[in-house]
Amino acid sequence: MKKTIQLLTLVIMTMVLMTSSNKHFTIFMIGDSTMANKDIKKGEERGWGMALQGFFTENVTVDNHALNGRSSRSFIREGHWQKVIDAIKPGDYLVIQFGHNDEKGKTGDKRHTDPGTTFTDNYRMFCRAAMAKGATPIIMNAVVRRNFYNKTDNSVDDESLRNAVSKSANELVNSDTLIDTHGLYILTPVNVARELRVPYVDANKITKDLENGMGVEKSRLLHMISAVKNGKDNTHYTVYGAHVVASLLVDAMAEQCPELKPYVRHYDYIVSAKGFGNYLTLQAAVDAVPDGAEAVISVIDGDWEKPIIPDNKKIKIDKYSSVTIKK
C-alpha cells in the first residue's frame, strides 16, 4: 500500500511538472515611458518593459501596452486600458506601473491624478478588473529619476527631456544620495496592494538602491543622459539601463509570484531583432563576449546567419523554437 501511494504521488508530481512546462500565459504591462516599447530606429532609448521578454522562457509572452507620456488617467481615457482588459485571460498577469505623469499638472488636467483619491481609484480598478477575469495583478510603484539634486523641478515633463540638451554639460549635483521626486505617488501602489492582497513590487526602492549603488557617475549609463551629447535626460533608459532594471524587476516579480520562477532566465547576452534584447544581431552578441570567456547567448526572435565564433570563445546559443539559425 505504501509503495502504491508513493508511486501515485510520483505520477501526480510528474504530471504537474509536465503541465507547468507546457503552460503558456501572457504578462500584460501598462504604464508610462519608463516601461514602454521604443522605436529602435530612433536610437538607444528603451523601456524596461521592452527588455522583459528576454528574461522569460518562450512559454511566456510579454505584451507591453505601456505608452510614452501616459498617466493612469489618460491611459484609461484614451481607450488603451479597454484593449488590455478585453485581451486578458484566466492565468495571465497584469503589471501596473504609473506615477511619472500622474504627478504632472494639477487637478482637472488630462493626465493629473491625486494619491488617495483618483490615483488610488485607478489602481484599484485595474486590479479588480484583472482579478475578475481570472488574472493576477502585480502592482509596482514608479521607478526613480536619477536626481542627485535637492531641488526638484516638477514643471519639467519627462517627455520633454527625451530630445533635450543642456546648455552646459555640467549636471546639477549636490548630493551623493538619490533624492526622491515622486512623493506620495510611490505610496499609493503599496497601499492598494495591501488592501486588495495582491502582489506588490517596490520598483522605486529597487531602482533607488541600484542608482545609489552605482553612484553619481556610473548611474549615468542607465539613462539617456549618457547616450546624447550634452543630454540631460535622467528619466528614460538606455539599452543597458533597461536590461539591468528588467533583470532586477523580473526577480522581484518572481519572489512575489513564486509560480513564475520556473520561467525566469538570466542572460548577459540577449539577441532580438526587435530590440527586446541588449543586442540587435547575433554576431554583435558573439563579438561582445570577451576573448577566452565562456558565455550563453539567448536568441529570442529573428532569422540569422550562422555567426563567426573565434576559437578562443566558448559560446552556447540558447534560442526560442521560432528562431532560425542557418548552418
Side-chain angles (χ1 to χ4, degrees):
M1 183 66 179
K2 185 176 181 180
K3 290 184 178 180
T4 301
I5 293 174
Q6 289 176 337
L7 181 60
L8 285 172
T9 302
L10 181 61
V11 170
I12 292 171
M13 289 178 64
T14 301
M15 291 177 66
V16 169
L17 288 171
M18 289 178 65
T19 301
S20 175
S21 64
N22 293 324
K23 180 180 178 182
H24 191 283
F25 56 91
T26 300
I27 297 176
F28 291 88
M29 307 186 74
I30 60 174
D32 55 43
S33 59
T34 59
M35 179 195 276
N37 291 349
K38 311 294 179 178
D39 185 347
I40 61 175
K41 296 178 182 179
K42 293 185 177 181
E44 287 191 38
E45 187 181 331
R46 303 287 189 273
W48 73 263
M50 189 174 181
L52 193 64
Q53 182 68 66
F55 293 94
F56 282 107
T57 65
E58 61 184 294
N59 303 67
V60 180
T61 296
V62 175
D63 193 355
N64 189 6
H65 289 258
L67 291 167
N68 294 349
R70 270 54 173 203
S71 68
S72 63
R73 173 181 167 85
S74 62
F75 193 84
I76 296 167
R77 288 170 60 88
E78 293 173 7
H80 307 297
W81 167 241
Q82 191 61 51
K83 295 177 183 177
V84 175
I85 195 60
D86 286 347
I88 289 177
K89 304 179 301 297
D92 288 339
Y93 293 80
L94 174 68
V95 179
I96 309 160
Q97 185 184 73
F98 288 98
H100 277 261
N101 298 306
D102 287 78
E103 64 195 42
K104 300 294 175 59
K106 58 185 179 180
T107 302
D109 290 350
K110 65 179 182 179
R111 294 190 299 180
H112 183 83
T113 63
D114 291 304
T117 55
T118 47
F119 190 49
T120 303
D121 289 341
N122 289 342
Y123 260 82
R124 282 197 193 105
M125 185 276 293
F126 293 141
C127 290
R128 287 171 173 160
M131 290 189 290
K133 295 200 71 172
T136 301
I138 301 176
I139 289 180
M140 295 189 184
N141 54 7
V143 294
V144 297
R145 297 183 181 93
R146 180 182 168 275
N147 176 50
F148 288 95
Y149 186 64
N150 280 318
K151 185 176 180 180
T152 302
D153 184 0
N154 288 322
S155 66
V156 178
D157 193 303
D158 288 349
E159 295 305 306
S160 70
L161 291 172
R162 189 173 303 281
N163 299 310
V165 293
S166 58
K167 295 180 180 179
S168 169
N170 296 324
E171 293 181 63
L172 294 175
V173 175
N174 65 359
S175 172
D176 59 1
T177 302
L178 208 70
I179 308 299
D180 174 60
T181 65
H182 295 304
L184 295 177
Y185 288 86
I186 62 174
L187 299 180
T188 282
V190 67
N191 291 335
V192 173
R194 287 170 179 166
E195 175 189 339
L196 301 182
R197 297 182 180 181
V198 300
Y200 167 70
V201 171
D202 192 344
N204 190 267
K205 182 181 186 305
I206 290 169
T207 51
K208 181 178 181 180
D209 290 346
L210 168 65
E211 307 234 7
N212 277 333
M214 294 182 73
V216 172
E217 291 303 317
K218 288 186 178 180
S219 62
R220 290 168 57 95
L221 299 175
L222 298 170
H223 298 281
M224 288 300 291
I225 187 173
S226 66
V228 178
K229 184 178 180 180
N230 292 334
K232 62 176 184 178
D233 186 346
N234 288 293
T235 299
H236 302 100
Y237 294 120
T238 58
V239 173
Y240 169 73
H243 179 84
V244 172
V245 171
S247 176
L248 294 173
L249 294 184
V250 73
D251 284 342
M253 289 166 60
E255 283 300 313
Q256 293 301 311
C257 301
E259 68 275 13
L260 291 178
K261 287 185 179 182
Y263 303 99
V264 174
R265 300 288 185 271
H266 282 275
Y267 299 94
D268 291 327
Y269 308 90
I270 302 173
V271 178
S272 167
K274 300 175 183 178
F276 297 151
N278 53 349
Y279 294 92
L280 289 172
T281 69
L282 179 53
Q283 190 63 57
V286 169
D287 294 343
V289 177
D291 290 339
E294 296 183 9
V296 178
I297 296 175
S298 173
V299 187
I300 65 174
D301 60 50
D303 298 319
W304 307 97
E305 298 289 338
K306 184 179 179 180
I308 299 172
I309 303 177
D311 293 335
N312 64 347
K313 296 183 182 183
K314 295 182 179 180
I315 294 176
K316 176 185 176 183
I317 296 177
D318 186 1
K319 67 182 185 68
Y320 281 10
S321 60
S322 59
V323 173
T324 300
I325 300 176
K326 297 178 181 179
K327 295 182 179 180

